[in-house]
Amino acid sequence: MTLHDIKMTRPSARDGAVTTPWWKKATGYQIYPRSFCDSNGDGIGDIPGIISKLDHLQDLGIGFIWLSPVYRSPMVDNGYDISDYQDVAPEYGTMQDLDRLIDEAANRGIGLVMDLVVNHCSDQHAWFRKAVASSVCREHDYFIWADATDGPDVLPSDIESVFGGPAWTHLPEVGKFYFHQFASGQPDLNWQNPELRAEIYAMMNWWLDRGIAGFRMDVIDLIGKDVGAGKLAEGPYLHDFLQEMHSQTVKGRDVLTVGESWCASPETGPLYCGEDRDELSMIFQFDHIKATWDPEFGKWKNVPVDLPRFKTTLANWQYALEDSGWNSLFLSNHDLPRQVSRYGDDGTYRNRSAKMLAIMMHLLKGTPFVYQGEEIGMTNANFHSLEQYRDLEVAGRLAEALEKGSTVEVFLEGARRNARDNARTPMQWTAGENAGFGAGAPWIDVNMNHTTINVAADGADPDGIIHTYKQLIEMRKTSAVVREGRTTFHVVDHKQVCAYTRELGDQTIAVVANMSADSVEFVAPPALCGQGQPLVSNIASRHSIDSVTVLEPYEAYAVLRNAQHSKRCCHQNGVVAQHALEA
Ligand code: GLC
Ligand code: CA
């Protein structure tokens, strides 16, 4: 898609014309700026570095970038603790650099979606500093306080912070506790205060007026909370606030909004993004991610992926948003392990299983998001000691796991599999020093496997993973059935194979993906079977899904059938199948 196309599809919202929004044809690409490309050798990725790599993104064919926070920040949580929403962190560059990024991306037909972190700010934000200095100033009520009636040691409630430890911190100079669902350096904002909300909307409009393509909204399910009642996620005011935000900011603008919601379910999903709701374009939901975690220790204990559960969640979300609303499609981001390590095989079958995962996800209905490095099959960090981790969550959660009776070994094994730093090692551009990330020693260790896994090598290899991504990204732009086709999952109980169909008019796409390292004799139900045109594959092209197909380890392919392709054929015999294809 070119910028021209983006402009052409701008709906004339005022006269109510309905067109396919550009973000239904586009694939997103997430950049974690600290780890993408370092232009000045200080070991930290930066905006000029991103600009220098825009050709890679254009080549991939993506429609927009989701840029993780680059705002001014003490970097307690790598920028998810913002001290100035209208300035750029000096280590990442300047406002001029950012404007240049917006322009240079637009020149390549790529929009820039900014991260919006407004459930909380930094304790270094001017609002919080004023709020601490005076209990009667306007900003004091921008935060959530509790009196220390029973002294500083008696917590107002037992709510825990996401990074471990209590969600309340006592400030002697105020004589009160303040509330923070994340680190103590990330005080929650009090969305009940209308003046605060007005300031946030003004800030959002300031960014929108700069020409950005939208917002990814951090933990947005938490803003409607009622802390007193203990209702945090999907609290009572959530949808009122989202509707107000929509009417005050994005309404009438052709932009994309995607809200992060760890608690959304197929039942509540439509409330955020249903077409008549005027809230968000789509959400990031995490059912399919959480479905593979341990019930007690969460992600800190390694358990194998329960494939039937995983597929059930994907299917339920496809069905829930079938007629109204829109899905985001992802397995990776800066908070999750590398997908090839989690759901594929990052050893022998790395190339094949990375492509399998791409085929399986990208042919679903929704907007796919590629996380930096995913397109070349980057793997987990393979850290061997606690010292290599940089994420504050690791330290916070270790103490807790030990209290619960886990051991350091079990925790480290869990961290090796699931810690957020797995996705935060420097982007692997070349086989050279620091993986071509920059001239100076990076802030976090480079993965040793960069000598073989890197953009230069993958791109030069005709069998490289990136070529499958390009193919899939292109298909979404050009194929209506990829964008709009109705999804039906098949064999949901199958422990190795993921299979679904997409149907629109007389076209059907049938997808099969062997998500296991075994060769599988797959017995397909009639609805899946049939001859057609090979659409995409990770081994060799196949023209049909037969009633019995032997799938190679991690094999995935898709077949496009038109009405003239008989659906019965493969259930009869090979001769009939051949005949149907020629007919
Ligand atoms: C979101 C972000 C994560 C961050 C947290 C607090 O989950 O994706 O990186 O730590 O919110 O802002
Ligand atoms: Ca730098």
Side-chain angles (χ1 to χ4, degrees), residues 38-46 91:
D38 171 21
S39 72
N40 61 355
D42 66 355
I44 299 173
D46 47 52
E91 56 263 69

Side-chain angles (χ1 to χ4, degrees), residues 36-209:
F36 193 61
C37 180
D38 171 21
S39 72
N40 61 355
D42 66 355
I44 299 173
D46 47 52
I47 297 171
I50 298 173
I51 296 171
S52 75
K53 297 296 184 187
L54 284 172
D55 289 345
H56 171 69
L57 304 185
Q58 184 179 22
D59 182 45
L60 197 53
I62 62 139
F64 63 95
I65 293 167
W66 151 25
L67 182 60
S68 276
V70 291
Y71 310 95
R72 210 171 254 276
S73 160
M75 302 286 167
V76 166
D77 187 18
N78 288 351
Y80 283 92
D81 48 320
I82 297 170
S83 55
D84 187 342
Y85 289 101
Q86 285 164 258
D87 201 2
V88 168
E91 56 263 69
Y92 292 154
T94 62
M95 261 324 283
Q96 287 69 38
D97 291 329
L98 194 74
D99 284 338
R100 198 157 61 86
L101 173 60
I102 294 172
D103 287 350
E104 291 277 341
N107 291 341
R108 292 166 176 82
I110 298 173
L112 187 72
V113 170
M114 294 292 280
D115 215 311
L116 181 79
V117 188
V118 289
N119 170 69
H120 46 268
C121 61
S122 160
D123 63 353
Q124 302 304 309
H125 193 288
W127 293 338
F128 193 70
R129 299 230 292 271
K130 288 184 193 166
V132 170
S134 158
S135 294
V136 292
C137 71
R138 188 172 53 128
E139 289 80 3
H140 191 76
D141 191 50
Y142 284 10
F143 298 90
I144 298 165
W145 303 95
D147 291 328
T149 352
D150 299 317
D153 297 329
V154 183
L155 296 169
S157 74
D158 58 7
I159 302 176
E160 285 185 7
S161 108
V162 172
F163 297 144
W168 296 101
T169 292
H170 184 257
L171 282 183
E173 61 270 48
V174 188
K176 293 181 193 173
F177 291 91
Y178 70 93
F179 183 68
H180 54 89
Q181 293 185 78
F182 296 89
S184 58
Q186 293 167 298
D188 273 50
L189 288 163
N190 176 21
W191 272 75
Q192 306 283 333
N193 183 305
E195 286 175 306
L196 167 80
R197 301 204 302 276
E199 293 218 43
I200 290 172
Y201 304 150
M203 173 272 286
M204 290 173 68
N205 283 319
W206 183 86
W207 279 106
L208 289 164
D209 291 343

Side-chain angles (χ1 to χ4, degrees), residues 30 32 66 68-69 77-81 115 117-120 162-163 181-183 186 216-220 222 260 262 286 333-335 391-393 420 424:
Q30 186 192 352
Y32 195 67
W66 151 25
S68 276
D77 187 18
N78 288 351
Y80 283 92
D81 48 320
D115 215 311
V117 188
V118 289
N119 170 69
H120 46 268
V162 172
F163 297 144
Q181 293 185 78
F182 296 89
Q186 293 167 298
R216 174 268 182 183
M217 302 181 183
D218 195 62
V219 289
I220 206 66
L222 303 182
E260 183 195 28
W262 280 83
F286 293 87
N333 69 28
H334 66 295
D335 294 328
D391 184 7
L392 79 167
E393 188 185 39
R420 306 195 297 179
R424 300 179 180 184

Side-chain angles (χ1 to χ4, degrees), residues 508-524:
T508 300
I509 295 177
V511 182
V512 281
N514 178 2
M515 292 185 71
S516 81
D518 306 322
S519 155
V520 173
E521 196 178 84
F522 178 55
V523 180

Side-chain angles (χ1 to χ4, degrees), residues 530-534 542-546 559-570 573-583:
Q531 291 272 347
Q533 293 165 31
R542 295 216 200 205
H543 287 263
S544 69
I545 294 176
D546 300 329
V559 171
L560 173 67
R561 299 195 296 251
N562 292 317
Q564 73 264 29
H565 296 122
S566 163
K567 287 192 183 180
R568 294 178 303 125
C569 57
C570 67
N573 57 53
V575 178
V576 180
Q578 188 56 34
H579 178 73
L581 190 65
E582 286 162 3

